[in-house]
């Protein structure tokens, strides 16, 4: 079977692997398509310290059940459209013991710490199979990044009396915008790209700010009557946006960081004390976040195709990755299609 492998920084090739078989408690899936995400781009560029090359990338998956092993629940059967929970969990670390398996101390994510899903077939434990019946492959490939945004809103404990600023309107930021809007919050979307901000309005943002063209602080003061947002979701991962989150959040507000900064970030910690703010990390997603995204996408008109910047075959995926590396701000998702 075909698989796509990143062999060295800037190098990607199609390789041939043996087709796997499902053992006891396992499910063999036929991969329909997989999305490239920011971690895959960083792996390709040689900037992902958690990856050991060579590696098969990919953890945003649309698949169809091909075969099941013994001991698999009856609702998981051949022909079922599914996505995959790409995170492992040990069951013994503090996170797992506290029920927060998404943040397992020993997590291995597909395409990062272990080989990923950009291959024709894959075997997974049945517990990592998430049914998505009735959804298209393109929709399924967006579930995982959307769920990361949904999880950040849960971490922030957003309610209908909150004003929530989401910095960064990529796929994860879009998920945060959708979830905050579903919870009844007033949502402010911030980005540098007007096209992304237009889509943000369509999926639930009540206000949008292009921080390259507008004064972020002044606009927030106008929207919040000078108080600042109750919640800030930082979905970019840069020292500038991380400091903006701290500076702009309201007194006693909550800041949730999703993005990883590639360099150290200096904070004026006086702000933390004076504002008595909560600063929280948000990692991956819980199974309930996946289910919430699926339910939302099944019931609502979501602009799936507008969020897919390109569809590649395994043979053309390298070209699309190079284009993304050259213009990262203009790409939502690139899908690699095996159908």
């Amino acid at each position: 079977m075909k698989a796509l492998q990143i062999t060295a920084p800037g190098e990607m090739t199609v390789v041939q692997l043996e087709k796997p078989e499902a053992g006891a408690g396992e499910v063999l899936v036929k991969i329909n398509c997989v999305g490239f995400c920011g971690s895959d781009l960083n792996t390709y560029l040689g900037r992902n310290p958690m990856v050991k090359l060579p590696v098969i990338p990919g953890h945003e998956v649309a698949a169809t059940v091909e075969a099941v092993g013994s001991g698999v629940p009856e609702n998981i059967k051949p022909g079922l459209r599914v996505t995959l929970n790409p995170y492992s969990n040990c069951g013994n670390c503090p996170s797992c013991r506290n029920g927060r398996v998404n943040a397992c101390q020993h997590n291995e994510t597909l395409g990062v710490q272990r080989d990923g899903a950009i291959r024709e077939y894959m075997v997974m434990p049945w517990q990592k199979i998430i049914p998505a019946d009735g959804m298209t492959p393109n929709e399924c490939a967006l579930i995982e990044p959307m769920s990361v945004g949904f999880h950040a809103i849960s971490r922030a404990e957003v309610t209908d009396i909150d004003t929530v600023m989401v910095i960064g309107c990529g796929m994860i930021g879009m998920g945060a915008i959708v979830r905050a809007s579903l919870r009844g919050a007033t949502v402010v979307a911030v980005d540098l790209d007007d096209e992304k901000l237009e889509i943000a309005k369509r999926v639930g943002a009540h206000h949008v700010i292009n921080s390259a063209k507008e004064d972020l602080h002044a606009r927030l003061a106008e929207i919040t009557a000078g108080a600042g947002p109750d919640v800030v979701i930082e979905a970019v991962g840069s020292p500038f946006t991380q400091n903006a989150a701290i500076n702009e959040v309201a007194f006693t507000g909550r800041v949730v960081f999703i993005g990883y900064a590639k360099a150290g970030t200096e904070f004026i910690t006086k702000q933390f004390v004076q504002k008595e703010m909560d600063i929280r990390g948000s990692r991956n997603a819980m199974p309930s976040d996946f289910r919430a995204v699926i339910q939302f996408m099944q019931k609502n008109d979501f602009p799936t195709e507008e969020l897919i910047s390109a569809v590649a075959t395994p043979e053309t995926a390298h070209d699309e990755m190079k284009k993304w590396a050259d213009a990262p701000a203009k790409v939502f998702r690139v899908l690699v299609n095996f159908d």
Side-chain angles (χ1 to χ4, degrees):
M1 68 174 185
K2 289 181 184 178
L4 194 65
Q5 192 176 68
I6 298 173
T7 54
E11 296 182 12
M12 184 183 297
T13 188
V14 177
V15 297
Q16 291 290 329
L17 303 176
E18 291 292 322
K19 181 180 175 180
E21 296 182 359
E26 293 180 332
V27 179
L28 173 68
V29 296
K30 166 74 171 67
I31 302 296
N32 303 121
C33 62
V34 182
F36 278 138
C37 82
S39 64
D40 298 318
L41 176 61
N42 284 326
T43 299
Y44 174 76
L45 294 173
R47 299 174 183 170
N48 193 336
M50 294 183 287
V51 170
K52 183 179 179 180
L53 300 179
V55 69
I56 298 170
H59 57 258
E60 302 175 357
V61 185
T64 303
V65 174
E66 181 88 357
V68 299
S70 61
V72 173
E74 291 183 1
N75 67 305
I76 301 175
K77 57 187 65 177
L80 179 67
R81 177 65 44 75
V82 299
T83 190
L84 306 181
N85 183 330
Y87 326 120
S88 71
N89 55 285
C90 70
N92 297 313
C93 73
S95 301
C96 290
R97 291 199 303 269
N98 290 329
R100 291 164 64 177
V101 295
N102 60 295
C104 174
Q105 185 175 348
H106 307 291
N107 167 67
E108 294 185 347
T109 298
L110 292 178
V112 184
Q113 294 93 347
R114 54 183 170 144
D115 278 334
I118 303 186
R119 56 176 98 184
E120 288 185 272
Y121 294 92
M122 190 165 191
V123 165
M124 292 287 284
W126 72 260
Q127 295 91 340
K128 299 298 182 181
I129 301 295
I130 301 175
D133 205 21
M135 297 182 68
T136 68
N138 286 4
E139 289 171 336
C140 279
L142 302 185
I143 293 170
E144 191 274 343
M146 289 278 291
S147 72
V148 175
F150 271 47
H151 183 67
I153 296 301
S154 294
R155 289 284 294 136
E157 300 179 277
V158 169
T159 73
D160 58 351
I161 64 171
D162 289 321
T163 296
V164 178
M165 176 169 70
V166 178
I167 306 177
C169 295
M171 279 305 310
I172 291 171
M174 290 294 179
I177 290 165
V178 168
R179 190 55 158 169
S181 177
L182 288 173
R183 290 192 174 197
T186 299
V187 184
V188 182
V190 180
D191 203 275
L192 305 174
D193 187 278
D194 287 331
E195 181 182 353
K196 290 182 178 180
L197 290 171
E198 281 300 313
I199 297 175
K201 284 194 288 188
R202 289 172 53 193
V203 301
H206 301 87
H207 307 276
V208 297
I209 302 173
N210 185 323
S211 56
K213 300 176 181 179
E214 303 175 81
D215 184 314
L216 177 63
H217 181 76
R219 284 282 285 119
L220 287 172
E222 176 187 331
I223 293 165
T224 65
D230 304 286
V231 173
V232 179
I233 306 295
E234 198 284 332
V236 176
S238 81
F240 179 82
T241 53
Q242 289 175 337
N243 269 295
I246 298 296
N247 294 337
E248 299 299 343
V249 73
F251 274 60
T252 68
R254 289 96 73 199
V255 174
V256 176
F257 289 134
I258 308 174
Y260 290 171
K262 297 175 183 64
T265 301
E266 290 189 8
F267 295 115
I268 299 173
T269 54
K270 175 184 174 183
Q271 294 263 52
F272 303 174
V273 177
Q274 284 188 325
K275 290 187 174 183
E276 200 179 39
M277 67 175 70
D278 291 341
I279 301 173
R280 305 175 185 181
S282 184
R283 184 183 182 193
N284 300 331
M286 292 285 283
S288 58
D289 298 308
F290 282 83
R291 294 195 300 271
V293 171
I294 290 168
Q295 178 174 284
F296 167 77
M297 294 181 75
Q298 287 173 334
K299 292 182 177 180
N300 293 273
D301 183 19
F302 188 71
T304 301
E305 299 308 317
E306 293 178 51
L307 296 172
I308 297 171
S309 304
V311 178
T313 65
E315 290 77 14
T316 63
H318 192 191
D319 291 337
E320 293 299 334
M321 184 65 93
K322 286 191 290 187
K323 292 177 186 177
W324 190 9
D326 291 339
K330 288 295 182 183
V331 173
F332 278 109
R333 276 299 179 272
V334 174
L335 301 187
V336 180
N337 195 329
F338 283 95
D339 285 342

